[in-house]
Amino acid sequence: AMEALVDEDFAAALQLFTSLVASAPRYVASWVHRSAVHLKLGQPLDALADANEAIALDACNSKAHLRRGMACFELEEYRTARAAFVTGAGLDATSKQFSAWIGKCDVKIVEEGGTVPAAPAP
């Protein structure tokens, strides 16, 4: 399944990860990876559902929060996306992806006329 994802054969990857999810529904990585495939296929609602399932199984999985945030961003739910990225960043302080996505959310929130939370004091 990972080989198909890396090779960008997203249809095959979706089929293979769906089989993995069916055979081992408690294996968090399969849900996270299938969420990524759904995002690549332009299916953010399905990606969100899989990310939420992964988070339900393991709330400390930072990649699940990343996928949730990415799906919400695609759905133009910028505040929800931002919250997912903030949670993920708290779980994986070494990843630069979260801060980049938080910045993207902040831009969209401001464009919509909203305000973003102030950065925490150092």
Side-chain angles (χ1 to χ4, degrees), residues 32-120:
V32 173
H33 293 312
R34 192 172 77 169
S35 178
V37 173
H38 281 304
L39 285 167
K40 293 289 189 181
L41 291 171
Q43 302 166 339
L45 284 173
D46 293 326
L48 179 58
D50 283 358
N52 285 340
E53 185 63 32
I55 291 166
L57 292 168
D58 179 5
C60 294
N61 186 300
S62 64
K63 283 199 187 263
H65 290 280
L66 178 68
R67 300 292 178 242
R68 182 176 199 270
M70 292 169 76
C72 289
F73 189 90
E74 290 300 314
L75 294 166
E76 300 181 5
E77 295 290 337
Y78 303 118
R79 290 186 181 283
T80 305
R82 187 182 196 284
F85 295 133
V86 168
T87 300
L91 296 169
D92 182 1
T94 63
S95 176
K96 303 286 187 228
Q97 286 184 300
F98 292 107
S99 59
W101 277 105
I102 290 167
K104 290 178 186 182
C105 290
D106 288 351
V107 168
K108 292 294 190 179
I109 291 166
V110 169
E111 284 176 1
E112 292 181 337
T115 57
V116 294

